[in-house]
Each structure stands twice: as C-alpha cells, then as structure tokens.
Amino acid sequence: MAPDSENAKLIYGRRLVTGPLSPSMLDPDIPRATRNAPPIPAARRLLVVIPELYFLDHPRLALHLRELAEEAGASIALLAMSERDEDVMFWTHRLESFGSTIRTSRVPVEMILEAGDNWHRAIQTNWRTGDLIVSPMEHTVKTGIFHRTRVLCQVIVEDLHKTVYAISF
C-alpha cells in the first residue's frame, strides 16, 4: 500500500512526452531520466488530481492512468475542482466522459468534483488510507497569505505530508 504520511515523498513518474519544452528542460529540479522512473507503488486507489480541464485533452493520459492503476493494483478517483457554480455541469460531463475512457472491469473509476479552489481541503477531504496521489508535475498553485506560486505536487508533499506520484506531459 501507499507509504504512511510520515514517509511522504515526491516520486517522479514516467513522462508522457519528451522534447525541447519538456519540464526537465525548463526546470532544473525535475530529473531528466523519468523514462527510468521507479515503478508506481502498490495502492488501494489512485487519487488523480485534475487541476485544469485541458489535462483531460491529452491524447495519452487516459491510457497512461489505466496502466498505472493496473500496475499499482488500484482503482482510480478523479479529483477536480469547479471554482464557479456555472461550471459544475461542464466539469461533471468532462470527468464522466474521461472516466469512461479509463474504466475497465479491473480498473473502476469514480469522479469527485469539489466546489471552490482550495486544493488543500479537497485533497484532505477525499484522501483515504491506502491512496496514492497522482498529480501533474507542471501545475502550480498560489499558496499562503502572500500567494506564493508553488508546484502543486510539492505542496501536497510538503504541506499535507502525502506521497505523490508526479506525471509529466
């Protein structure tokens, strides 16, 4: 199962694409060799953070998440946030459609849509023992009273003390 919160760490997963604009070329803190990434740890459920709708448009993301879930022996929960009430139906439709492209008899998928823009609260509310959080390594969020920009997967590890399997596009 996923490591305890005391052992929270950031695991750099396999990259979906590489090229001159890949994150490892832009950010020196991201290792270049994620092709040789460690295998995903066993987990009961992958809590997949979907911070923006455009992530659902990536052509290989659904297949990649299904492969990760099969490798980890896990189900998938897609976690997204709708900041505005008028976007709830749109987000729900997109998550349902995306989830149906992942779902198999061996990989059940559930959708979780939270209201607001507080990722700390959304993750704390929906994380369960045995979950492994999967998050895009490129996404940033504003945190604290000074609205400092930080990478979301690092926020999860450092502030929430949860292990994150970071995927890159």
Side-chain angles (χ1 to χ4, degrees):
M1 289 294 164
D4 296 319
S5 61
E6 297 173 355
N7 303 323
K9 60 185 170 186
L10 181 58
I11 303 168
Y12 290 102
R14 292 181 297 270
R15 187 172 293 117
L16 276 73
V17 295
T18 57
L21 295 179
S22 66
S24 63
M25 300 295 187
L26 302 174
D27 185 346
D29 293 334
I30 297 174
R32 291 179 183 264
T34 58
R35 276 191 315 235
N36 300 324
I40 190 165
R44 186 182 58 75
R45 180 177 78 158
L46 301 182
L47 184 61
V48 180
V49 176
I50 308 289
E52 299 286 344
L53 276 173
Y54 70 85
F55 286 107
L56 301 179
D57 296 329
H58 192 283
R60 286 213 9 91
L61 182 59
L63 176 61
H64 187 62
L65 291 174
R66 184 183 319 130
E67 290 170 352
L68 289 176
E70 288 173 350
E71 187 178 325
S75 64
I76 291 179
L78 300 172
L79 175 61
M81 297 197 66
S82 176
E83 293 181 28
R84 303 178 323 169
D85 290 340
E86 55 268 21
D87 293 338
V88 169
M89 284 187 43
F90 185 65
W91 264 102
T92 302
H93 173 72
R94 289 294 306 275
L95 284 173
E96 287 289 340
S97 296
F98 185 73
S100 69
T101 63
I102 300 171
R103 187 178 294 113
T104 67
S105 60
R106 293 186 321 194
V107 181
V109 178
E110 65 178 295
M111 276 58 67
I112 304 167
L113 184 60
E114 291 283 334
D117 62 355
N118 187 329
W119 281 105
H120 278 91
R121 187 176 331 117
I123 291 168
Q124 286 177 321
T125 301
N126 292 288
W127 185 87
R128 299 182 203 146
T129 302
D131 281 359
L132 177 64
I133 298 169
V134 176
S135 177
M137 109 177 34
E138 300 88 355
H139 191 74
T140 58
V141 293
K142 303 260 187 221
T143 61
I145 59 173
F146 298 110
H147 300 287
R148 186 171 54 132
T149 300
R150 296 171 60 199
V151 177
L152 178 59
C153 51
Q154 290 174 332
V155 169
I156 297 167
V157 172
E158 294 168 6
D159 296 358
L160 302 178
H161 310 289
K162 307 287 185 219
T163 295
V164 176
Y165 189 83
I167 58 175
S168 177
F169 297 91

